Amino acid sequence: MIGRRELLLSAGAGLLAAACSPRPEAAAGERIIAVSGDVTEIVYALGLGPQLIAVDDTSSYPAAVEALPRVGYFRQLAAEGILSLGPTTLVAGGDAGPASALTQIEQAGVRVITVPPARSAADVAANLRQVGEAFGRQTEAGAAVATLERDWAAAEAEIAALPGRPRVLFLLTVGAGSPMAGGRGTAADAIIGLAGGDNAGADHEGYKAISTEALVAGAPDVILMMSHALDAAGGAARVAALPAIALTPAGREGHVLPLDPLLHLGFGPRLPQAARELAQLIRTPA
């Protein structure tokens, strides 16, 4: 016969297991906020779109996110605004912050899931599985990963068949002062490599001001900028004519091209499409 003590121990063990295990299929009462565009895409890929109540300013895909409230830029979150929406879970990219805001949100009883930055198809697959596990959506995550892996294999084969290996430089900013170029360890460096290019800024780490001498010595065949930054700088022709850039092969040929920040630098489930499109772009930039 089971005594009172055994019953209490059994109940306690059950509660502990429930607290430590992933939540079951996201219930209708789950209220999710996604912070970072790639994370938002993952939430939708797992079929959790109906439970999404808000996103950050970098989230622009799929189109359904346009109707959702915004919680600001993912690196400058305010806990009060997020908590006012009554979320049950915040899913955040690894660069989200500040850390104090995330701590405050968690201490208020909101579950916080942090997804590390991705730089490869394997990283994206791992992030899909992590979020799927957290919401009890392992089946959906497995299907999304299978699609990603199939599409990535096709994209890799297509990219490998393209001729040449252009030198590509990503500029974060141009204008007053020296341009800011993407070096090793950046999303720009990763996508350039996946698209079959060589990063002309790979002599430095992170985003760094680049001198005229270094820019010319790098001899990029193509210069990439985020579409909104290129527009703010006056367009491709104006950037190509800037004194330092005009001395490069990219400047002389007018090969200054826009990137979609979320698609090409976000490293979400659409990575195969992003790499394929960029590969075509840098091989035939005219």
Side-chain angles (χ1 to χ4, degrees):
M1 183 174 180
I2 300 176
R4 177 179 174 82
R5 181 173 180 275
E6 286 77 9
L7 284 171
L8 289 173
L9 288 173
S10 176
L15 289 172
L16 179 60
C20 295
S21 64
R23 295 187 182 182
E25 293 284 327
E30 184 82 67
R31 295 172 58 82
I32 303 169
I33 294 179
V35 176
S36 188
D38 59 317
V39 167
T40 299
E41 292 194 35
I42 287 172
V43 167
Y44 273 96
L46 297 176
L48 293 166
Q51 282 76 43
L52 196 61
I53 63 168
V55 295
D56 78 308
D57 290 344
T58 69
S59 299
S60 60
Y61 184 91
V65 302
E66 299 300 331
L68 294 173
R70 301 276 161 168
V71 297
Y73 183 53
F74 74 103
R75 295 179 188 270
Q76 299 171 345
L77 300 175
E80 294 81 3
I82 288 173
L83 292 173
S84 71
L85 297 171
T88 56
T89 302
L90 176 75
V91 189
D95 294 327
S100 57
L102 296 180
T103 298
Q104 186 177 348
I105 292 165
E106 195 164 29
Q107 288 176 342
V110 177
R111 181 172 62 150
V112 175
I113 301 168
T114 303
V115 178
R119 294 291 181 264
S120 68
D123 291 345
V124 178
N127 290 347
L128 282 163
R129 291 191 181 99
Q130 178 190 348
V131 179
E133 180 75 19
F135 288 101
R137 292 291 180 106
Q138 293 92 334
T139 299
E140 291 84 349
V145 168
T147 298
L148 171 71
E149 291 175 343
R150 181 197 67 215
D151 292 349
W152 181 246
E156 275 192 309
E158 183 178 321
I159 292 167
L162 294 172
R165 192 168 180 88
R167 291 183 58 76
V168 183
L169 183 66
F170 174 78
L171 296 180
L172 188 63
T173 60
V174 297
S178 300
M180 294 288 292
R184 298 186 306 277
T186 63
D189 177 67
I191 195 64
I192 288 169
L194 293 177
D198 289 324
N199 184 8
D203 60 340
H204 67 267
E205 293 272 355
Y207 292 100
K208 180 180 176 183
I210 185 170
S211 67
T212 298
E213 293 77 11
L215 204 159
V216 174
D221 302 300
V222 176
I223 288 175
L224 302 174
M225 293 184 67
M226 289 187 287
S227 53
H228 64 272
L230 187 57
D231 290 342
R238 185 169 182 179
V239 171
L242 292 173
I245 294 173
L247 297 174
T248 67
R252 289 194 296 270
E253 299 298 324
H255 293 168
V256 179
L257 307 172
L259 287 183
D260 177 326
L262 179 55
L263 174 62
H264 296 113
L265 300 176
F267 282 80
R270 294 183 293 157
L271 179 60
Q273 175 190 344
R276 181 186 291 110
E277 286 186 7
L278 184 58
Q280 292 285 355
L281 195 65
I282 63 178
R283 290 332 205 292
T284 56

